Amino acid sequence: MAASKAVIPRVRAARTSKRVDKSSPTSTQKFIERLPTDILNKILSYLDASALFTISHVNKRFYQLASDNYFQLFIILFYTCQYYQCSALWNKIYLTEFFMDKTRKPKCVDKLLLKTASAEVQGQAAGYCKQLFFKTLAARDMNKWKRDLGLISHHTGLPRQTERVLRNLDITWELTVSDKSGHEDTLELSCSQFFETSVTLCWSGGGCLPDYQQISTLQLHGVRRIALSCPGLKNPGRRSLIVKLDMQALPKGVQVIGQDRLVEIKLLQPGIIMGIWRGQCSVAFVMFTLHLHRLLERSIQGSIVCPYIEPMVKSPFDDIDPEYGLHGYQLHITLHNNVCKFMSASFSQLFCRRDQVRDGLVQLTAISMTNLSQHTPLTGNITLTWRCEALQGSVENCCIMSLTLLDEFRKPFWCISCPVSMELQKSALSYDYDGEHHLIHYQDSEGQVKMKLVWMDEQKQFVLVSLVVYVITCKVNKHFSREY
């Protein structure tokens, strides 16, 4: 009997452990999944947007429920209108029609109201309301950042608060890389560096990128993260395409603008370079240089497949001045790398006479070779630094040129930010300089920039002795409604 009594508690304990196992999180989760959809919708309807977004990552069924437009409509109308009091967009569409009575007070959300409002999203793809909700929240700060960007710098002609606004709005950038097999990876930004008129973005390879020859497309998106408390999850964000580069369409001989003992730097197109490990095809890093002109709009106001299109604003036409469009330009230019600045200078009242308009180019001379008072010394050696995980290097005779050309109304006319290379030239006869002569030549579809530098051996520094900007005539004619 004593033995049998000793066995009984063990059996009961085993049965008890099975009961506990039935109430384990896994079993509870399966029990919740078996609940009818109406009951789950009722439970989920008590969640706010942050919790709803988080629970949509639990499993497939929760994702489908949280992406249902009708259910999202209930959450959005309640959450947006009663807690955020609606943005102008949501106010126009829903608040005045569904949520305001004659005394302009919010109504309660009822089934009849939801039935009426659901007609607005009928036929839309799943997740439409969720995207509309995040877009509505993002639009709330629109007026605020527009006010901040209204403060223009007299030095550069650009908004002074661009960097601060970008950071305050939690804007970042993502690089999406597709290979020839169709596989696609989206990479988080490795590092960024702001300068006066540009920002440098860099993504390290680290084995995440396919070989250079296997890359099909590169896509750069601006992403604005919506501030929701989602533990363990990346906050949702809306993506805006800035650049899409088809690697298959590049010429076979992509320009190599420099190299050191570890990497070779290829200029894929203006503003985009790629570091390739020497003797290999693997990618060390990808770097984008973006001009700050309308960078905020380009980063948030495009779609996931189409970039932001800058509105065309024509300058006033003046029949009195025959040289209208050929004078009054202002130039701000900076030479730098992603660590330090070599030169920053502004030049005003640049002009071009009619007889200087040649070969379809309007010539604007900022620094003349014959005017010694205009010659500008540079600080340090011209190098382009790079960093990839534990390795770093410095490529000589390369840097980033950021150029802002303003028209006579002090509006941005031509904006560039691009890595450039410096080439050694045959020494020309000069009574003022006997050092090595170098040339930086930039060219794209809208114009050219030519910079001549001389290395002063005694002073151990470069001197910029010539700077000429060439703008294509058709760009000037289109902007000023002229026919030069």
Side-chain angles (χ1 to χ4, degrees):
M1 293 295 294
S4 61
K5 288 181 180 179
V7 172
I8 291 174
R10 294 180 184 177
V11 174
R12 288 179 179 175
R15 290 177 181 175
T16 304
S17 64
K18 289 183 179 179
R19 290 175 183 174
V20 173
D21 184 65
K22 287 182 179 180
S23 62
S24 64
T26 304
S27 301
T28 304
Q29 181 177 338
K30 291 181 180 180
F31 171 74
I32 293 176
E33 290 180 5
R34 289 196 297 266
L35 289 175
T37 301
D38 292 342
I39 296 179
L40 279 177
N41 278 339
K42 181 65 175 178
I43 296 173
L44 296 182
S45 67
Y46 291 99
L47 303 181
D48 60 12
S50 178
L52 183 63
F53 177 78
T54 303
I55 204 171
S56 67
H57 292 76
V58 172
N59 54 40
K60 186 176 181 179
R61 189 180 184 198
F62 281 160
Y63 175 80
Q64 291 173 344
L65 289 173
S67 298
D68 179 75
N69 281 332
Y70 181 78
F71 176 68
Q72 285 180 1
L73 184 62
F74 180 90
I75 298 295
I76 292 170
L77 294 180
F78 179 81
Y79 189 69
T80 305
C81 295
Q82 295 193 19
Y83 286 91
Y84 286 93
Q85 299 178 356
C86 240
S87 68
L89 173 63
W90 207 244
N91 186 31
K92 179 180 179 182
I93 299 176
Y94 291 103
L95 190 59
T96 57
E97 188 169 352
F98 301 128
F99 289 87
M100 289 296 184
D101 57 21
K102 295 180 180 180
T103 60
R104 308 301 292 171
K105 293 183 179 181
K107 296 179 181 179
C108 294
V109 180
D110 55 23
K111 293 182 179 180
L112 178 61
L113 182 60
L114 285 173
K115 184 177 181 180
T116 305
S118 63
E120 298 290 333
V121 297
Q122 192 173 11
Q124 299 289 348
Y128 168 79
C129 280
K130 180 166 62 176
Q131 296 176 5
L132 185 61
F133 171 70
F134 292 136
K135 183 178 180 181
T136 303
L137 290 185
R140 290 186 302 145
D141 297 328
M142 197 71 70
N143 292 331
K144 183 179 183 302
W145 67 251
K146 282 186 176 181
R147 290 193 300 268
D148 291 338
L149 293 182
L151 304 174
I152 305 299
S153 169
H154 294 288
H155 186 53
T156 64
L158 300 173
R160 290 182 292 181
Q161 304 293 337
T162 299
E163 178 184 353
R164 186 174 68 86
V165 171
L166 288 169
R167 295 189 184 279
N168 288 343
L169 293 180
D170 292 325
I171 293 175
T172 185
W173 296 270
E174 292 179 347
L175 178 65
T176 301
V177 183
S178 303
D179 61 21
K180 293 181 179 179
S181 66
H183 180 72
E184 189 175 276
D185 279 321
T186 298
L187 307 179
E188 295 293 322
L189 184 66
S190 298
C191 61
S192 63
Q193 181 65 50
F194 282 87
F195 286 89
E196 288 179 330
T197 59
S198 65
V199 60
T200 301
L201 312 175
C202 189
W203 287 264
S204 299
C208 301
L209 294 171
D211 287 347
Y212 171 74
Q213 297 176 345
Q214 296 300 316
I215 298 177
S216 175
T217 59
L218 294 176
Q219 296 182 75
L220 175 66
H221 286 91
V223 183
R224 182 185 175 188
R225 297 294 178 194
I226 304 300
L228 297 177
S229 58
C230 304
L233 291 178
K234 184 193 304 181
N235 284 338
R238 184 175 181 273
R239 305 176 77 198
S240 172
L241 180 65
I242 299 178
V243 178
K244 183 175 182 179
L245 176 62
D246 183 2
M247 297 287 287
Q248 308 302 310
L250 295 178
K252 292 183 178 180
V254 176
Q255 182 184 0
V256 176
I257 63 173
Q259 60 185 11
D260 59 13
R261 59 189 182 89
L262 293 177
V263 299
E264 180 181 75
I265 298 181
K266 294 179 179 289
L267 180 65
L268 305 183
Q269 76 172 34
I272 308 176
I273 60 174
M274 184 176 288
I276 311 296
W277 295 115
R278 294 190 63 177
Q280 305 178 31
C281 291
S282 54
V283 178
F285 63 88
V286 180
M287 185 184 296
F288 284 72
T289 56
L290 302 177
H291 199 280
L292 293 186
H293 174 57
R294 291 194 178 272
L295 180 57
L296 177 61
E297 292 86 342
R298 288 184 285 154
S299 298
I300 66 175
Q301 293 190 359
S303 71
I304 194 171
V305 294
C306 297
Y308 164 80
I309 300 176
E310 183 177 349
M312 293 294 297
V313 179
K314 289 189 176 181
S315 298
F317 183 78
D318 186 357
D319 287 323
I320 300 177
D321 186 0
E323 302 300 316
Y324 186 75
L326 294 177
H327 62 76
Y329 290 91
Q330 177 177 327
L331 174 68
H332 180 77
I333 188 168
T334 306
L335 294 180
H336 61 91
N337 56 26
N338 49 353
V339 175
C340 61
K341 179 171 58 179
F342 308 121
M343 182 208 74
S344 177
S346 295
F347 307 90
S348 60
Q349 298 302 319
L350 303 183
F351 66 93
C352 176
R353 296 191 301 270
R354 278 184 175 268
D355 58 359
Q356 292 178 316
V357 180
R358 299 172 184 172
D359 301 325
L361 296 172
V362 174
Q363 177 180 327
L364 303 172
T365 301
I367 297 179
S368 173
M369 179 76 81
T370 58
N371 190 343
L372 298 180
S373 63
Q374 296 179 334
H375 296 179
T376 305
L378 275 63
T379 303
N381 294 328
I382 304 296
T383 57
L384 183 62
T385 56
W386 61 270
R387 181 185 295 273
C388 179
E389 298 174 341
L391 298 176
Q392 60 182 348
S394 180
V395 179
E396 296 183 351
N397 299 327
C398 292
C399 66
I400 299 171
M401 179 185 72
S402 297
L403 178 147
T404 309
L405 183 64
L406 309 177
D407 63 15
E408 60 181 282
F409 303 101
R410 298 184 61 82
K411 301 296 183 182
F413 180 67
W414 189 30
C415 299
I416 305 165
S417 184
C418 179
V420 293
S421 60
M422 183 174 63
E423 299 180 357
L424 181 64
Q425 301 290 298
K426 293 182 178 179
S427 299
L429 180 62
S430 173
Y431 296 102
D432 302 305
Y433 304 102
D434 57 359
E436 295 179 340
H437 289 241
H438 300 262
L439 174 67
I440 295 177
H441 184 202
Y442 171 85
Q443 182 175 1
D444 63 20
S445 60
E446 296 189 331
Q448 302 180 39
V449 180
K450 291 185 178 181
M451 308 175 68
K452 295 182 180 179
L453 303 95
V454 177
W455 173 253
M456 306 293 292
D457 194 54
E458 293 184 2
Q459 290 80 8
K460 301 297 180 183
Q461 68 177 166
F462 284 101
V463 177
L464 182 60
V465 298
S466 177
L467 171 57
V468 184
V469 176
Y470 302 87
V471 184
I472 60 172
T473 309
C474 61
K475 179 178 175 66
V476 178
N477 289 339
K478 183 179 180 180
H479 185 73
F480 292 103
S481 300
R482 284 287 177 175
E483 295 183 359
Y484 295 115

